[in-house]
Amino acid sequence: MIHIRLLDNTVRSFETPLTAADVAGQISPRLLKEALAAKVDGVLVDLSYLLTKDATLEIVTKTHADALEIIRHDTAHLLAEAAKEIYGDNIQITIGPAIENGFYYDFALDTPFTPDDLEALEKKMRAIVDRNEDFVREEWDRDEAVAYFKKMGENYKAEIINDLPKDEKISLYRQGKFLDLCRGPHAPSTGKVGKAFKLLKVAGAYWRGDSKNAMLQRIYGTAWATEQQLKDYLFQLEEAEKRDHRKLGREMDLFHMQEEAVGSVFWHPKGWRLYRTLQNYIRHKLEQNDYQEINTPLLLDRKLWEASGHWEKFKDNMFALTSSDDRMLALKPMSCPCHVQVFKQGLKSYRDLPLRLAEFGCCHRNEPSGGLHGIMRVRNFVQDDGHVFCTVDQILDESKKFCTLLKEVYTAMGFPDFNVRFSDRPAVRAGDDAAWDKAESMMKNALEEMEISYAMNPGEGAFYGPKLEFILRDAVGREWQCGTLQLDFVLPERLDASYMGEDGCKHRPVMLHRAILGTFERFIGILIEHYAGKFPLWMAPTQAVIAPIVTQYNPYAEKIAALMEQAGLRAELDLRNEKINYKIREHSLAKVPYILIVGDREQADNTVTLRKLGDTNQETLALPQAIDKLRTEACQPC
């Protein structure tokens, strides 16, 4: 007799032996019919998993939090089976995991996949669903499995098995005539997977991510529990494509990137205006919150990075060089050790704390070329970096102040709602449990006092302390992790930072690492896509264009431009000898918020006609009234 605790916290007793499927069937025939997999003591398993001792059991149906992982993994196997049926011995299958929002599978095939090929593969996958083939787990002898896959011409699979730890069981899954190496788990059959999937695109991928290895073809797909979820996601993709910051960046003349500076941004005048507007806003908020802005070197001796611990953990992502005097230097990937150096200049007292330092820190990271993406992921970027040096007793107040600041900034940027993930102590960490207990408790108290809900992210904290991650949701429903707050007891110790306490003795400060936007480049990319280029007026690089109907009204347009400049508005003149409809169309495509049209009536009456982006109606106002309207709307958030 074993005792099984179910999801509703009830405990039932069962005679052994029995499987997770047996338990589902005894609870409800409908539950068994809807079941995809099970979760035993927190671990996902097949429904055929044999229960032999007391355990906690969850039955995974399509509404379960883990259902999509099962569905997407299963769908990857459908794709691999379809590929083998269509291409036979001409194709080798490699790996195919579930990923965020979908799955992929890597194939070795001499000819490139075409859109027609994806359509044929998808059709075959649907046929496999209709065949409702059972997923059956098998355990094989290692040598036997290697020999089998080599005989089948699947050399990549044989290599994977050879490289597995010697004590690891070799688990294969069979579906119909298809056999694949896999740890599982899987749904009971292909029919359970459903048809809410879509193959999306093909990309190149090096075997095992190493550019020295063969280039494979990676097919990406998405899979969902229901057709409606799939439809919603495809709509989101379509919207995201329209909002692609790389496309809009060109159309709006904000920036460009080129091969001679891979991973770096060439900001054009309008883009740099946007950049400086955001930077000035952040600087204003930092001054309001008693931060002191500093600036630290880009290039530092390897010895500092070794002392801080970054060299050991981060050196592969750092750009290093040797100076003329044979010193090893590295471009900074983050500013943390530099801020400690500033803190250490001069004797600090407890009366000096909290000390809040901020920097628009120019950083470099040697990101792999395949991971670069427009201005969202680059090698040269600027962080809105900040560090608060404080006492243990000040952690709670400083955490609350930061959360308040962050909420104000996100609201001003157009993200009034955000999610928070709380990452607690990892298995390998510095500091004792008492310090971790106190740090975690204080961060949680800060969130709860501010009524900010959060989800736990167990074991994902930094090795030196717990971490909060702030996640935004954009206009098309995508999530972006931007802000962070991290507690650090380690770096002040490693770099010998101290202050004189009230007791006259030296103490280590606590270091709060914090960022709001994260990096300016990435955040601007997020803003472009969130607003589809239609920025709020205070943020827009060009707030208005003054467009005369014909050239004889150019002097009046120039007068308006001068008045707008005096009012602090960012306005441009379009004095070209072009038709007004052409000008309106061109500036609308460039996402200029307002076009000010002037002609004979406007000049005679000292008025201007305002055309707002996205609005078919026009409004004619007295010139002072129009300028006051724009100035009020363009006012920077507090």
Side-chain angles (χ1 to χ4, degrees):
M1 184 74 71
I2 59 172
H3 307 288
I4 303 297
R5 184 177 296 276
L6 302 173
L7 192 57
D8 62 2
N9 220 28
T10 61
V11 178
R12 295 198 186 188
S13 299
F14 297 92
E15 295 285 345
T16 57
L18 83 167
T19 64
D22 294 332
V23 174
Q26 290 190 38
I27 294 171
S28 159
R30 180 178 176 181
L31 179 62
L32 177 59
K33 183 178 179 181
E34 295 177 351
L36 297 174
K39 206 169 186 180
V40 177
D41 292 333
V43 178
L44 281 170
V45 297
D46 297 322
L47 284 171
S48 59
Y49 181 86
L50 196 63
L51 297 162
T52 58
K53 60 181 181 180
D54 294 353
T56 298
L57 175 69
E58 298 175 41
I59 302 300
V60 178
T61 65
K62 287 190 174 183
T63 58
H64 191 280
D66 294 305
L68 289 178
E69 182 179 345
I70 299 292
I71 290 169
R72 288 164 181 167
H73 189 188
D74 290 350
T75 311
H77 277 243
L78 296 183
L79 172 56
E81 182 180 5
K84 288 301 290 184
E85 288 193 13
I86 292 174
Y87 298 98
D89 295 339
N90 294 321
I91 197 168
Q92 290 188 66
I93 59 175
T94 64
I95 57 171
I99 57 174
E100 185 180 7
N101 294 327
F103 60 92
Y104 70 78
Y105 216 111
D106 289 348
F107 299 99
L109 182 67
D110 290 338
T111 56
F113 289 115
T114 67
D116 288 342
D117 293 330
L118 295 191
E119 189 176 326
L121 285 164
E122 202 173 291
K123 183 178 180 181
K124 179 65 72 175
M125 291 165 69
R126 297 183 188 283
I128 294 169
V129 171
D130 289 337
R131 296 203 301 250
N132 198 23
E133 299 168 346
D134 291 338
F135 283 106
V136 181
R137 185 177 186 273
E138 302 176 4
E139 287 188 10
W140 283 45
D141 172 79
R142 177 185 299 270
D143 293 339
E144 184 183 355
V146 169
Y148 170 81
F149 281 109
K150 281 187 174 179
K151 183 180 179 181
M152 297 290 291
E154 296 288 352
N155 296 318
Y156 291 98
K157 290 290 181 185
E159 182 181 328
I160 295 171
I161 297 170
N162 264 326
D163 290 345
L164 291 174
K166 297 300 181 186
D167 59 347
E168 185 166 334
K169 293 178 179 177
I170 306 304
S171 167
L172 279 69
Y173 276 81
R174 189 183 298 276
Q175 58 200 77
K177 297 178 180 178
F178 178 69
L179 190 66
D180 199 359
L181 174 70
C182 183
R183 289 192 181 94
H186 284 284
S189 67
T190 60
K192 291 274 190 177
V193 179
K195 296 181 179 180
F197 57 78
K198 178 74 177 173
L199 300 183
L200 299 174
K201 63 178 181 179
V202 181
Y206 291 110
W207 170 234
R208 293 189 158 174
D210 189 338
S211 59
K212 296 176 184 176
N213 291 336
M215 175 67 79
L216 306 173
Q217 295 187 73
R218 175 172 294 177
I219 296 181
Y220 284 98
T222 188
W224 298 85
T226 67
E227 288 289 343
Q228 187 59 49
Q229 288 176 351
L230 174 64
K231 184 178 179 181
D232 291 345
Y233 179 69
L234 294 177
F235 175 75
Q236 183 188 90
L237 286 183
E238 185 181 344
E239 278 297 301
E241 187 175 351
K242 292 177 187 175
R243 296 164 179 260
D244 190 314
H245 72 279
R246 295 165 297 182
K247 170 177 170 287
L248 290 174
R250 288 191 302 272
E251 292 176 359
M252 298 173 69
D253 194 23
L254 300 179
F255 62 84
H256 84 274
M257 307 182 82
Q258 62 188 63
E259 282 299 312
E260 289 79 2
V262 174
S264 297
V265 186
F266 290 82
W267 290 103
H268 297 189
K270 291 178 182 178
W272 193 240
R273 214 177 294 151
L274 169 62
Y275 192 108
R276 287 189 296 111
T277 298
L278 297 182
Q279 191 177 79
N280 289 339
Y281 171 71
I282 295 296
R283 181 175 281 117
H284 169 68
K285 296 300 292 184
L286 293 176
E287 289 171 353
Q288 285 183 333
N289 285 267
D290 298 322
Y291 280 84
Q292 299 179 59
E293 187 177 338
I294 60 175
N295 189 265
T296 60
L298 295 179
L299 201 59
L300 296 111
D301 196 295
R302 167 180 171 172
K303 292 176 182 177
L304 179 62
W305 301 113
E306 288 176 332
S308 69
H310 289 94
W311 188 262
E312 178 185 356
K313 296 180 177 297
F314 213 76
K315 64 181 177 183
D316 290 342
N317 290 96
M318 296 171 74
F319 289 102
L321 55 93
T322 304
S323 66
S324 59
D325 56 358
D326 292 327
R327 298 178 68 181
M328 177 65 78
L329 305 172
L331 289 168
K332 68 178 181 183
M334 66 278 294
S335 301
C336 326
C338 300
H339 287 205
V340 178
Q341 305 313 304
V342 174
F343 177 86
K344 288 172 62 178
Q345 298 305 299
L347 184 64
K348 297 295 187 298
S349 159
Y350 69 94
R351 295 186 182 90
D352 298 315
L353 304 183
L355 178 63
R356 306 181 187 98
L357 300 179
E359 178 177 10
F360 298 120
C362 182
C363 299
H364 294 78
R365 294 183 187 172
N366 191 12
E367 300 282 1
S369 58
L372 300 176
H373 177 67
I375 65 173
M376 295 284 206
R377 190 170 183 185
V378 290
R379 289 175 174 165
N380 170 214
F381 54 90
V382 172
Q383 290 182 318
D384 66 326
D385 213 352
H387 296 90
V388 180
F389 296 88
C390 64
T391 68
V392 171
D393 292 338
Q394 292 169 335
I395 292 173
L396 178 60
D397 280 345
E398 289 304 308
S399 298
K400 289 167 64 176
K401 286 177 181 176
F402 172 69
C403 290
T404 300
L405 169 61
L406 178 138
K407 189 167 187 177
E408 289 173 357
V409 171
Y410 284 177
T411 299
M413 297 292 176
F415 303 97
D417 300 313
F418 55 87
N419 295 324
V420 180
R421 282 200 295 257
F422 188 103
S423 299
D424 60 10
R425 67 195 76 184
V428 179
R429 58 186 181 270
D432 58 30
D433 285 344
W436 276 89
D437 289 342
K438 189 167 187 177
E440 290 172 355
S441 175
M442 286 182 167
M443 292 191 86
K444 287 179 181 177
N445 287 344
L447 291 171
E448 287 163 5
E449 285 190 23
M450 298 185 67
E451 299 182 346
I452 296 175
S453 60
Y454 59 90
M456 291 302 298
N457 195 20
E460 294 300 319
F463 77 93
Y464 47 73
K467 175 173 62 174
L468 300 181
E469 295 179 342
F470 299 86
I471 297 99
L472 308 180
R473 184 180 292 273
D474 70 11
V476 293
R478 296 169 300 178
E479 291 189 337
W480 304 92
Q481 189 267 305
C482 293
T484 57
L485 177 65
Q486 304 172 44
L487 261 177
D488 184 356
F489 297 101
V490 176
L491 204 57
E493 178 76 32
R494 295 190 69 139
L495 297 181
D496 194 28
S498 63
Y499 68 93
M500 295 300 296
E502 195 170 3
D503 57 4
C505 298
K506 281 190 174 183
H507 298 270
R508 298 291 183 204
V510 179
M511 191 172 176
L512 295 178
H513 303 245
R514 44 104 296 179
I516 303 173
L517 305 186
T519 72
F520 276 90
E521 288 75 8
R522 180 171 177 268
F523 201 86
I524 289 174
I526 293 169
L527 285 173
I528 291 170
E529 298 195 1
H530 175 63
Y531 286 111
K534 300 174 184 177
F535 298 116
L537 196 61
W538 75 270
M539 195 185 294
T542 300
Q543 295 169 327
V545 168
I546 305 149
I549 292 175
V550 292
T551 55
Q552 73 185 75
Y553 306 115
N554 285 0
Y556 181 55
E558 289 169 345
K559 170 190 169 183
I560 295 171
L563 291 172
M564 293 185 75
E565 184 179 355
Q566 291 174 19
L569 293 164
R570 297 186 290 273
E572 294 180 4
L573 280 163
D574 187 347
L575 304 181
R576 295 174 299 168
N577 187 19
E578 298 282 359
K579 292 182 178 178
I580 190 64
N581 286 339
Y582 176 85
K583 294 180 181 182
I584 290 171
R585 183 169 62 252
E586 188 174 77
H587 296 303
S588 296
L589 286 172
K591 308 296 188 292
V592 176
Y594 280 98
I595 301 173
L596 278 59
I597 302 168
V598 294
D600 184 62
R601 186 182 64 180
E602 286 82 10
Q603 179 172 274
D605 297 341
N606 199 38
T607 61
V608 65
T609 296
L610 273 63
R611 184 184 182 96
K612 190 172 184 178
L613 183 64
D615 193 343
T616 55
N617 296 320
Q618 297 185 160
E619 181 181 20
T620 300
L621 297 173
L623 182 54
Q625 185 183 355
I627 292 175
D628 189 57
K629 172 185 171 70
L630 295 183
R631 182 170 52 192
T632 301
E633 187 179 334
C635 186
Q636 180 176 286
C638 297

